[in-house]
Amino acid sequence: MENLNLIETFSEFKELKSIDRATMMRVLEDVFRSTMVKRFGTDENFDIIINIDKGDFEIWRNREVVDDAELEDENTQITLTAAKQIDEDYEIGEDVTDEVKLIDFGRRAILALRQNLTSRILELEKDNIFSNYKERIGEIIAGEVYQVWKKEIMVVDDEGNELILPKTEQIPSDYFRKGDNVRAVVVRVEMRNSNPLIILSRTSPVFLERLFELEVPEIFDGLIIIKSIKRIPGERAKVAVESYDDRVDPVGACVGMKGSRIHGIVRELRNENIDVINFTNNNQLFIQRALSPAKVSLIKLHEEEKRADVYLQPDQVSLAIGKGGSNIKLASQLTGYEIDVYRETAGDDEDVNLDEFVDEIEGWVLDELKAIGCDTARSVLDLSVADLVKRTDLEEETINEIIGILNSEFDN
């Protein structure tokens, strides 16, 4: 029975298609030879024949024929009398080769060999998974959700390997149940407690980059390159692209006819708003494009400080800033400039800087207003109460008080 179990273990090893034939042969022979050393003290006079295709093996021992009175080592020598029982033609000094049956080793030795073999199989599997996925960092993996926990989910790939998608690497609106299909990019592979740990991500900019490669043939072929990607996962992303072929419009190619190419990406990212921008080395033009969909009136660059003062019409300020400041934040990250937004006012329009109201309005309230691009009294008054409540952390009662204070300045 123990011998049968060993053959079954050997068969399991044989079926590991991901492990090359040479490695299989080496490991199997190592396991059997270590058993020979434990039992006989040496493995030098043993031949081990392994048949990978059939899933079986043979062990043969070579011994020298000696006179009955000169026998010193039963493992490497055999008496002439014993040799002639095998074949009458044997003479002193010749070599006798006979098969060693595994069942003769005893139950305990067979069990130890089987455990050793099983252990080596597991080690090989782990090493193979680790090295395989180490080479696939940055590659999109498709799998099935196997287990859902509070802080992470386990995903199983086509080969049954277990991958981890942490909550921190999921898009905020992601919701998975067991059996769901999921796509993510491999971002990290490490060994933890001798086990391979493969970490996936759906929030990494690399995931968005790979999705573009899948959807846009020009990117995959290298005609268009992605210069930079900045994301607020599930909310907004900005992608700067450049074409090596003047005949190819990089933005149009990425978006596709009527948005056909980008729609699939947007759906995969839970309706993340994606702005595709034509890259340029002209910093002013690049900042202008990065602030899309807002229309910029004027840009003043401060190169030493890597800062840009951007002036817009009042109705464009909210577009430039975006929901929760997302648009201006991503534009700053994409261009490498700290962007300050200013509202353009007509020369004859009277306006007052918000800092002038520091005695009447608390400083933290003024900071809340400045954070949404409102630097002057009129810039606040141009927005509705509902808009101010939505875009700031201020209560409606507080906003009404602020509006009353600001209006009184112009009523005088």
Side-chain angles (χ1 to χ4, degrees):
M1 182 62 72
E2 295 296 343
N3 191 39
L4 179 61
N5 289 339
L6 185 61
I7 295 296
E8 289 173 355
T9 305
F10 180 85
S11 298
E12 290 173 14
F13 189 91
K14 177 177 74 76
E15 290 169 5
L16 296 177
K17 296 182 177 65
S18 56
I19 298 173
D20 63 89
R21 190 184 188 91
T23 303
M24 277 192 196
M25 296 284 287
R26 176 178 55 79
V27 172
L28 285 166
E29 187 169 342
D30 285 348
V31 170
F32 287 119
R33 287 199 176 277
S34 65
T35 302
M36 298 303 107
V37 171
K38 286 180 182 178
R39 181 167 178 81
F40 300 106
T42 181
D43 64 336
E44 292 180 2
N45 60 316
F46 287 90
D47 292 325
I48 298 171
I49 302 170
I50 299 170
N51 189 324
I52 291 288
D53 299 320
K54 290 184 178 180
D56 59 18
F57 58 91
E58 293 177 357
I59 302 172
W60 293 85
R61 178 168 56 177
N62 303 306
R63 292 184 289 179
E64 183 186 359
V65 179
V66 297
D67 187 87
D68 292 17
E70 296 178 1
L71 182 67
E72 295 178 356
D73 183 355
E74 291 185 357
N75 179 45
T76 59
Q77 297 174 332
I78 184 172
T79 63
L80 181 61
T81 302
K84 287 188 176 292
Q85 288 177 356
I86 298 171
D87 191 326
E88 283 290 337
D89 295 333
Y90 277 124
E91 300 288 343
I92 292 175
E94 293 183 338
D95 288 334
V96 174
T97 301
D98 60 321
E99 186 176 1
V100 178
K101 297 294 185 181
L102 200 61
I103 197 166
D104 296 334
F105 283 34
R107 182 177 180 277
R108 187 170 296 178
I110 293 174
L111 185 60
L113 194 153
R114 183 173 185 269
Q115 288 174 341
N116 191 6
L117 184 55
T118 302
S119 175
R120 293 295 294 272
I121 290 172
L122 291 174
E123 284 178 19
L124 269 176
E125 282 184 315
K126 291 174 183 178
D127 290 344
N128 188 64
I129 292 169
F130 177 82
S131 58
N132 178 34
Y133 271 97
K134 196 75 174 175
E135 294 175 358
R136 298 178 73 181
I137 289 177
E139 185 178 322
I140 284 184
I141 299 296
E144 182 180 308
V145 176
Y146 182 74
Q147 191 74 48
V148 179
W149 296 297
K150 187 176 181 180
K151 293 185 178 180
E152 61 191 21
I153 65 171
M154 181 188 290
V155 179
V156 177
D157 67 8
D158 294 337
E159 296 177 357
N161 299 318
E162 296 176 353
L163 323 172
I164 297 297
L165 177 59
K167 190 71 176 176
T168 53
E169 299 293 341
Q170 296 175 33
I171 296 169
S173 55
D174 273 342
Y175 176 74
F176 298 108
R177 291 177 297 183
K178 185 174 182 179
D180 286 350
N181 292 320
V182 60
R183 286 199 295 177
V185 70
V186 180
V187 289
R188 195 166 74 255
V189 179
E190 58 190 52
M191 291 297 283
R192 185 175 296 177
N193 298 326
S194 300
N195 291 310
L197 179 66
I198 299 112
I199 303 297
L200 305 178
S201 174
R202 286 172 53 80
T203 62
S204 169
V206 178
F207 183 49
L208 178 52
E209 184 177 351
R210 294 295 173 266
L211 289 174
F212 267 104
E213 289 175 0
L214 290 174
E215 294 289 339
V216 184
E218 292 86 349
I219 293 178
F220 184 81
D221 295 337
L223 292 174
I224 297 173
I225 62 166
I226 296 175
K227 299 290 287 187
S228 180
I229 294 178
K230 301 299 176 184
R231 289 181 68 192
I232 300 175
E235 190 173 326
R236 197 179 193 106
K238 288 188 181 289
V239 183
V241 294
E242 185 178 28
S243 174
Y244 281 136
D245 189 334
D246 293 338
R247 296 169 298 178
V248 178
D249 170 24
V251 175
C254 291
V255 174
M257 188 74 69
K258 295 182 180 179
S260 58
R261 289 178 172 177
I262 206 167
H263 280 166
I265 300 174
V266 170
R267 282 194 301 271
E268 179 68 48
L269 301 181
R270 311 297 187 191
N271 296 320
E272 191 170 304
N273 191 348
I274 302 173
D275 297 328
V276 182
I277 299 155
N278 198 345
F279 177 80
T280 175
N281 289 315
N282 182 325
N283 291 331
Q284 283 202 357
L285 182 56
F286 191 36
I287 291 170
Q288 180 181 326
R289 290 172 177 174
L291 285 169
S292 174
K295 294 179 180 178
V296 176
S297 301
L298 177 67
I299 298 176
K300 294 180 181 178
L301 294 181
H302 305 277
E303 291 291 355
E304 291 184 1
E305 304 168 27
K306 294 294 283 184
R307 185 168 57 83
D309 296 335
V310 178
Y311 295 85
L312 308 101
Q313 291 295 323
D315 62 339
Q316 296 297 306
V317 172
S318 60
L319 288 175
I321 294 169
K323 182 182 177 182
S326 61
N327 197 56
I328 194 169
K329 178 181 178 181
L330 290 174
S332 294
Q333 293 175 354
L334 193 72
T335 60
Y337 282 80
E338 182 184 338
I339 300 174
D340 295 322
V341 171
Y342 296 94
R343 187 181 302 265
E344 272 196 334
T345 54
D348 57 350
D349 280 354
E350 180 188 2
D351 205 351
V352 181
N353 195 296
L354 279 185
D355 290 332
E356 299 295 324
F357 297 91
V358 69
D359 293 332
E360 299 169 86
I361 303 173
E362 292 184 57
W364 71 271
V365 175
L366 295 176
D367 289 340
E368 279 286 324
L369 296 170
K370 290 177 185 177
I372 64 167
C374 296
D375 302 294
T376 65
R378 289 201 183 277
S379 67
V380 176
L381 295 174
D382 285 341
L383 298 175
S384 66
V385 173
D387 211 7
L388 288 167
V389 170
K390 183 179 178 181
R391 292 171 55 190
T392 67
D393 287 334
L394 302 174
E395 295 180 357
E396 187 174 340
E397 183 181 349
T398 304
I399 290 172
N400 285 326
E401 289 177 7
I402 294 167
I403 290 174
I405 293 170
L406 299 182
N407 276 326
S408 65
E409 177 68 24
F410 298 106
D411 291 341
N412 293 334

